[in-house]
Amino acid sequence: MTAAQPAQAQKPGAGPPKLEVLGITKLFPGVVANKDIDLALHEGEILALLGENGAGKSTLMNIIYGLYQPTEGQIRVDGSPVEMHSPRDAIDLGIGMVHQHFQLVPVMSVVDNIMLGSESVDRGLLDRQSVSAQIQELSERYNMAVDPNSIIEDLPVGVQQRVEILKALYRNAEILILDEPTSVLTPQEIEGLFEVMELLRSQGKSIIFITHKLKEVLRVADRIAVLRRGEMVGEADPATTSQENLAALMVGRRVTLEMEKEPASAGDVLLQLRDVEAHTDLGEPALRGVSLDVRAGEIVGVAGVQGNGQTELVEVVTGLRPATGGSVLINGVDMTNASPRRITEEGAICHVPEDRHMYGMVDAYSVADNLVLSAYYKKPFSSGLTMNEQAIAQHAEELVARFDVRTPSVRTSGASLSGGNQQKMVVAREFGRPIRLLVAAQPTRGIDVGSIEFIHSQIVAKRDEGIAVLLVSYELDEIMALSDRIAVMFHGRISAVLPRSQATREKIGLLMAGVSVEDEANS
């Protein structure tokens, strides 16, 4: 095998393991996070690691990266046993990790972020010039165009992720752990990431790819390993398995991937937007004359590439952002620039926000307290300044059971739940009270297939009860699966509204890119 063919001369996954995990067990007080796990990663291989939220994937990766130490078991790199007491040990062994939430300093440049902790110094000064040249060489070698002098906060999310990958490569990583790398990317950025991953593999790098998205696994992985409740339950070959089989292996039961629903029986208009305008936090136009109706008993999905006004649209409807023009009517009542509490109570609206940590929950609060955030000031949960803890706990026990929120206790903090159970907690609070309008933004972002199935079924059930549903998602599959009508946003405007029966992926994709239906017909 020549030096120019490090990974092409043999099938990915052949040869001795680059990384081995042998009998890894990790115990936390009252919890078995990992139990007797064996795993091997070979040179020039993309290994996908699947599992529900709380299955133990992140714990295992944190052990491999030196953030946790195992209770039992051994890790080997290139056949030799190793001990890692910190990420520095992992980095020294050629292991790099790109976290789901990027570890970058927003106000610093690309070059400063990449050499942070591994500074290059020339005559007592930071040698930015030589590091910048190395970054340029790495970005060209792996086809990841990045300007070393750019400030991180000015870069799109997809480019920030490239910086994280380049940071690991700058530290000579031969093994890359990518934790949910596509959860914040557009479809175009996802495909670009896969091309980078395939190029890295062709040059002999080994990659562990953690994701919930089954299509992505089948698209890019050489081998698939599945965790369930902290244990390794099986492996699969992408060439011979299916999404249905993988979902069943993850969850331990058959999962419905295609949402089955009856045709909508749309009634009166409950949400009416007319020529709505709004600005971004920087004062730039975000909404440019948006008009849209949502009727009782229908789901209107809003599709579009992230950053085309969807976030501002949801915030205007729910009272979190002022409209600078136009009107918002809910059930015939003008709610333009009303307070969130008035919109929630008089409009009978519930809101599942796109960022559950920032807008949907208080991490330090218990599950029980999170479940009354929108009603804590009402009877029976309070009387004057006194909280009724018994009523709050009883309410929480009912919702936890009804919405399958898996928690040791309703007094457990919201932050200690897995991502999927945090989302189900938010959904339980919002769906568990009388409503007429449901606004759901990214309701299944970053959660596993079992939780997605549950939340989708709850959204459809609300529609069938006669609730009007405004669904905003960057996942085109989700929009196509749930919507009765699809509105496409581009550059702050609704470019088209199509019945689901007339909406194809190709047509929606063109509209998301700014190509009008008329342009498509003419071409």
Side-chain angles (χ1 to χ4, degrees):
M1 183 169 64
T2 66
Q5 297 175 313
Q8 300 287 16
Q10 59 187 25
K11 179 182 177 182
K18 183 75 178 174
L19 170 74
E20 288 179 281
V21 169
L22 302 172
I24 289 292
T25 294
K26 179 62 179 177
L27 305 178
F28 293 104
V31 177
V32 181
N34 293 146
K35 182 179 179 182
D36 197 26
I37 292 177
D38 293 334
L39 188 68
L41 174 68
H42 299 268
E43 182 178 339
E45 178 184 44
I46 298 175
L47 171 66
L49 186 62
L50 285 178
E52 289 188 278
N53 290 107
K57 305 185 302 298
S58 293
T59 298
L60 181 61
M61 292 305 103
N62 286 333
I63 289 172
I64 293 173
Y65 194 56
L67 288 166
Y68 295 160
Q69 280 67 55
T71 306
E72 298 176 8
Q74 185 182 82
I75 297 174
R76 294 181 181 176
V77 176
D78 290 324
S80 300
V82 299
E83 291 187 9
M84 287 176 282
H85 301 286
S86 71
R88 170 58 61 188
D89 294 333
I91 291 167
D92 290 343
L93 289 163
I95 300 172
M97 185 168 179
V98 177
H99 299 266
Q100 181 177 359
H101 302 289
F102 303 150
Q103 311 293 299
L104 299 171
V105 182
V107 297
M108 290 172 58
S109 68
V110 170
V111 65
D112 286 343
N113 268 277
I114 285 179
M115 68 173 173
L116 189 62
S118 298
E119 289 81 359
S120 177
V121 178
D122 181 25
R123 300 176 186 176
L125 299 174
L126 290 175
D127 188 5
R128 290 186 174 88
Q129 187 172 353
S130 67
V131 175
S132 180
Q134 291 179 62
I135 294 169
Q136 197 71 41
E137 190 273 329
L138 285 169
S139 64
E140 291 174 2
R141 186 194 310 173
Y142 296 107
N143 197 25
M144 289 187 285
V146 174
D147 179 1
N149 298 313
S150 295
I151 303 300
I152 292 296
E153 63 185 2
D154 296 334
L155 298 175
V157 172
V159 179
Q160 291 184 30
Q161 186 178 72
R162 292 180 191 175
V163 175
E164 285 280 30
I165 295 173
L166 287 169
K167 184 167 68 174
L169 296 173
Y170 174 77
R171 288 162 172 75
N172 300 313
E174 294 296 323
I175 297 167
L176 278 173
I177 301 169
L178 305 181
D179 187 9
E180 299 286 353
T182 65
S183 62
V184 295
L185 302 184
T186 66
Q188 295 90 338
E189 289 170 333
I190 290 171
E191 190 57 36
L193 172 65
F194 289 163
E195 291 173 1
V196 169
M197 289 169 64
E198 289 166 346
L199 182 57
L200 288 166
R201 174 180 61 189
S202 73
Q203 299 197 22
K205 305 295 184 183
S206 304
I207 299 172
I208 299 178
F209 173 43
I210 303 173
T211 184
H212 293 114
K213 300 177 182 179
L214 303 180
K215 282 185 179 179
E216 294 180 357
V217 166
L218 297 177
R219 157 73 175 79
V220 78
D222 299 307
R223 190 161 50 91
I224 303 165
V226 183
L227 285 176
R228 186 167 72 237
R229 298 184 183 275
E231 298 186 53
M232 188 66 66
V233 294
E235 289 192 0
D237 182 349
T240 58
T241 192
S242 66
Q243 292 186 66
E244 290 74 16
N245 290 339
L246 291 174
L249 198 58
M250 287 170 60
V251 181
R253 60 175 175 82
R254 182 180 176 275
V255 177
T256 302
L257 298 177
E258 296 290 335
M259 181 54 57
E260 299 177 0
K261 57 188 179 72
E262 298 296 322
S265 298
D268 296 335
V269 174
L270 279 180
L271 174 64
Q272 186 179 66
L273 307 177
R274 288 293 176 267
D275 301 319
V276 174
E277 297 183 357
H279 291 130
T280 68
D281 293 339
L282 299 176
E284 301 293 329
L287 301 178
R288 306 166 188 262
V290 171
S291 295
L292 184 67
D293 291 342
V294 184
R295 298 177 177 275
E298 74 165 350
I299 300 172
V300 175
V302 178
V305 176
Q306 186 173 1
N308 278 277
Q310 301 96 313
T311 296
E312 290 82 4
L313 174 65
V314 169
E315 290 175 348
V316 166
V317 171
T318 56
L320 297 174
R321 180 177 299 272
T324 57
S327 61
V328 178
L329 277 67
I330 300 176
N331 202 30
V333 178
D334 190 346
M335 292 284 185
T336 311
N337 294 335
S339 69
R341 179 171 289 186
R342 183 186 168 209
I343 290 172
T344 298
E345 294 188 348
E346 292 185 33
I349 180 176
C350 78
H351 175 209
V352 179
E354 66 177 83
D355 188 334
R356 59 178 170 265
H357 292 285
M358 184 171 291
Y359 297 113
M361 60 182 284
V362 179
D363 287 6
Y365 281 14
S366 68
V367 171
D369 288 339
N370 270 290
L371 287 170
V372 294
L373 282 179
S374 57
Y376 66 90
Y377 53 90
K378 296 180 179 180
K379 292 183 178 181
F381 307 124
S382 68
S383 177
L385 298 177
T386 304
M387 303 291 288
N388 186 337
E389 298 294 342
Q390 183 177 352
I392 291 172
Q394 181 178 346
H395 174 73
E397 295 285 1
E398 292 171 357
L399 288 182
V400 161
R402 179 176 159 195
F403 287 88
D404 189 33
V405 181
R406 299 178 187 177
T407 176
S409 162
V410 297
R411 292 303 174 194
T412 299
S413 71
S416 68
L417 301 185
S418 68
N421 284 300
Q422 289 175 348
Q423 191 73 357
K424 285 196 282 188
M425 177 181 71
V426 173
V427 167
R429 181 188 65 234
E430 297 301 306
F431 287 24
R433 54 188 172 83
I435 59 171
R436 287 194 294 265
L437 172 64
L438 161 60
V439 179
Q442 297 289 94
T444 60
R445 169 182 274 180
I447 65 174
D448 59 72
V449 65
S451 299
I452 289 172
E453 177 195 36
F454 178 82
I455 290 174
H456 281 181
S457 69
Q458 293 296 313
I459 291 173
V460 172
K462 286 300 177 188
R463 182 206 72 163
D464 293 343
E465 292 172 14
I467 307 302
V469 180
L470 179 66
L471 169 68
V472 176
S473 178
Y474 305 130
E475 298 287 346
L476 190 51
D477 286 341
E478 184 165 62
I479 291 289
M480 301 285 281
L482 296 181
S483 303
D484 301 304
R485 290 188 297 132
I486 299 175
V488 183
M489 288 198 73
F490 178 73
H491 203 47
R493 296 184 174 89
I494 301 287
S495 55
V497 180
L498 303 176
R500 175 61 184 87
S501 59
Q502 297 177 18
T504 64
R505 294 183 65 86
E506 293 73 22
K507 185 177 289 186
I508 297 298
L510 287 169
L511 289 166
M512 288 169 62
V515 180
S516 70
V517 177
E518 291 78 9
D519 291 341
E520 181 196 7
N522 292 334
S523 64

